[in-house]
Every structure is written in C-alpha cells, then in structure tokens.
Amino acid sequence: MSPSADSIRSIGILGAGRVATALARRAVAAGYDVRIATAKPAAEISLLAEIVTPGATAVDAADLARTDLTVVAIPLRKYRDLDPSHFAGRAVVDVMNYWAPTDGELADFEADHRTSSEVVQDHLAGALLVKAFNHIGYHDLEADHRPAGAGDRRALAVAGDHEDTRRAVATVIDRLGFDAVDAGPLAAGRVLQPGTEIFNGSHSAAQLSGLLAEACAGARV
Ligand SMILES: NC(=O)c1ccc[n+]([C@@H]2O[C@H](COP(=O)([O-])OP(=O)(O)OC[C@H]3O[C@@H](n4cnc5c(N)ncnc54)[C@H](OP(=O)(O)O)[C@@H]3O)[C@@H](O)[C@H]2O)c1
C-alpha cells in the first residue's frame, strides 16, 4: 500500500555509491530515519556508512523492506538482482538511468521500446514504482537544495502510475530541498531520461512544468 504524503518517516536506500550516499546525507539532514544497504552484509558497509553518511544506519538489503520508502540506486545492469518479493506492495523510487556510453549496451533496454523504469517495474511486479532523482547529478543534490520558497530553488520531477505514491515522493523531494513537479504516469519518465532537455539542465518548477508539457505532447505520453 502506498504511504500517504506525510507518513514517510524512514527511507531505505539500496546502493552506497555516488547518488545513494548523496541522497542518504540529504535525507538524514531532512530528519528521516535512513537505512542504507548494498548486496554485501551490513557489517561490510557499516564503517562506510559511519564516515560517508553519518546518521544513516547500515543494514542488510532485506531489511530495507521495513522502511516506508525504498530508493533503488544501483547500476541499472544489476536490476535483475533485485528480489521482487522485497518490493511488492511497497513504494519504491527508481533513480536508475540507462546510458549506453557508460553502462555499455544492455539488451533488455536496447530491445525494449519502453522507458527503463517501466522495464524495472515489470521486474518488480507489484511494487509502487516512481521515477525520481534520476535527472540530477549526485554533486548537485548536495549543492542545489534550498529551503521552500527560495527564488532559485531547483525542481525535480516524479513519474509513476500510482498517484498516492507520486504525492508521497513529492513530499520527500520537498523536504530534501527541491520543488517537486508531478510528471504523471511512469511512461512519462521518457522525457526525464538521459539525452533529454530535462535530464541535461537545471530548472525551476515553472520551467520544468513547461518542459514536461511540451515534451510529453511531443512524445505523446
Ligand atoms: N551518479 C549520479 O550523479 C547519478 C544521478 C542520478 C541517477 N544515477 C543513477 O543511479 C544509479 C547509481 O549510480 P551511481 O553513480 O551512484 O553508481 P555507483 O557510484 O557505481 O554506485 C553503485 C552502488 O550500487 C551498489 N550495488 C551494485 N550492485 C548491487 C546490487 N545487486 N544490490 C545492491 N547494491 C548494489 C554498489 O555496491 P558495491 O560497490 O558493493 O558493488 C554501489 O554502492 C545508476 O543507475 C545511475 O544511472 C546516477
């Protein structure tokens, strides 16, 4: 079941790389109970968590199922490692991108006309998946956050097929220091993917809304 907009207290982050640790630090700063995991046992990343994401707790991947929201921040080529039973019925943020120049060509994504998040959603059957945080670099997560109402606040989009989950993730985006813009269904994530104007730039909420409307009309999503 999707959490309601204000009910998210704990955030689980799968991955402890560049974007995962940047998100973990922002989420700790925003007051969330943050747990972080990789495929390794918790004990193997606890020192990293202590030093790189102080305030976040290292856990085993299976324990992320006890959090209100799970963020998947691993290389996309590993998505089939994700055990669907850990995600079914749960709110999940997919921050992953398919970018062949760095990921190499991945047959699952080359052969499929859908967005990478729709392919991931298929694998994670039953998960309430949203695409968010994919179009901001890890360094910008640290540099660009602003309090609500700041004139230069950057906006981030959230796309997903479950309105309640989009709304809940929008609240998280706001608490992390960004304006959230509702992009609509998961398929609309096409206009957030690498190579798009939205992916390549930094935008205010008004600019992002305009770009989304324009891009979605062009892409007919
Ligand atoms: N970098 C950015 O600025 C950015 C921004 C937005 C979105 N993204 C997307 O976010 C994803 C992660 O990017 P990144 O740059 O943060 O990657 P990264 O620095 O290479 O980190 C990847 C992390 O995923 C972990 N991992 C790998 N396989 C796993 C598995 N099967 N289960 C659990 N954890 C696993 C790795 O742990 P080990 O080291 O133990 O393997 C590592 O901690 C990519 O899809 C990327 O396109 C990146």
Side-chain angles (χ1 to χ4, degrees):
M1 202 179 84
S2 181
S4 60
D6 292 321
S7 68
I8 293 176
R9 305 273 179 270
S10 57
I11 298 181
I13 301 181
L14 187 66
R18 288 164 290 192
V19 75
T21 54
L23 277 170
R25 285 189 292 271
R26 286 304 314 138
V28 167
Y32 289 105
D33 167 9
V34 180
R35 311 199 202 142
I36 189 160
T38 64
K40 296 173 182 149
E44 287 188 33
I45 63 159
S46 58
L47 183 61
L48 176 141
E50 210 177 299
I51 294 168
V52 181
T53 59
T57 308
V59 298
D60 292 332
D63 293 332
L64 296 181
R66 295 202 199 97
T67 56
D68 299 325
L69 176 74
T70 303
V71 177
V72 178
I74 67 174
L76 188 60
R77 65 177 177 280
K78 301 283 188 71
Y79 84 99
R80 285 185 181 277
D81 291 355
L82 303 171
D83 180 344
S85 71
H86 291 171
F87 300 89
R90 307 194 51 251
V92 176
V93 177
D94 173 16
V95 311
M96 299 181 288
N97 285 308
Y98 177 46
W99 186 233
T102 55
D103 295 325
E105 287 202 358
L106 303 178
D108 285 10
F109 301 93
E110 290 292 329
D112 202 309
H113 67 281
R114 294 172 303 167
T115 63
S116 64
S117 290
E118 289 171 282
V119 175
V120 173
Q121 170 76 84
D122 248 17
H123 175 65
L124 297 181
L128 306 167
L129 195 89
V130 301
K131 186 179 197 72
F133 295 111
N134 76 297
H135 66 96
I136 179 167
Y138 69 99
H139 39 279
D140 290 344
L141 274 167
E142 314 258 21
D144 290 357
H145 62 88
R146 298 285 185 275
D152 60 347
R153 203 178 203 220
R154 183 169 173 173
L156 300 178
V158 50
D161 291 338
H162 306 274
E163 195 180 342
D164 289 351
T165 314
R166 291 202 306 274
R167 208 174 296 130
V169 173
T171 301
V172 172
I173 290 172
D174 182 56
R175 278 185 58 182
L176 264 56
F178 300 88
D179 284 339
V181 175
D182 188 346
L186 201 55
R190 181 172 304 286
V191 302
L192 311 177
Q193 295 194 131
T196 62
E197 191 171 350
I198 292 173
F199 186 88
N200 289 334
S202 168
H203 309 284
S204 68
Q207 290 167 334
L208 183 55
S209 300
L211 284 170
L212 278 168
E214 205 177 288
C216 287
R220 280 194 233 104
V221 289

